[in-house]
Amino acid sequence: MALNYIDEIAARIETTLDPEQRPDDDAWALYRLYALLVLVKGVDVSLEDVHDAWSVWMATINPKHDALVPFSSLDPAKRAEDAPYAQAIAAVARGLNSQSFDGTGAR
């Protein structure tokens, strides 16, 4: 079965991430939020964007998570944890910009 365009982008993000960086939980909803960032922010995605998307997802998984706070409230080390995801999102965005993508899974 062909993936829809959101799921195709989400799958690209997942495979772009180092396996050690992938969330342990069922994270398909998170990858879909990251796919949205590919589409609306592209290569200009920020660490704060990534954290906000993660926060939306985490609010459904563990609404009391200690990092479920505004990005500006995080310490620098915790902020830096969003970097691999921002890099993966930007890499996928660059890839979409450099190839024909019709949104149906075809390339």
Side-chain angles (χ1 to χ4, degrees), residues 25-48:
D25 299 315
D26 179 22
W28 195 245
L30 178 61
Y31 290 122
R32 284 179 169 162
L33 290 168
Y34 289 166
L36 178 62
L37 290 178
V38 167
L39 296 171
V40 301
K41 298 294 294 217
V43 297
D44 296 323
V45 68
S46 69
L47 297 181
E48 185 170 7

Side-chain angles (χ1 to χ4, degrees), residues 21-72:
Q21 297 292 330
R22 295 178 189 162
D24 293 334
D25 299 315
D26 179 22
W28 195 245
L30 178 61
Y31 290 122
R32 284 179 169 162
L33 290 168
Y34 289 166
L36 178 62
L37 290 178
V38 167
L39 296 171
V40 301
K41 298 294 294 217
V43 297
D44 296 323
V45 68
S46 69
L47 297 181
E48 185 170 7
D49 297 328
V50 171
H51 176 73
D52 289 341
W54 173 89
S55 294
V56 168
W57 173 72
M58 185 51 64
T60 66
I61 303 295
N62 179 2
K64 296 182 188 249
H65 194 285
D66 62 344
L68 195 51
V69 298
F71 185 77
S72 61

Side-chain angles (χ1 to χ4, degrees), residues 72-92:
S72 61
S73 298
L74 297 172
D75 65 50
K78 189 59 80 174
R79 289 180 187 187
E81 290 178 14
D82 291 316
Y85 307 98
Q87 292 165 359
I89 291 164
V92 170

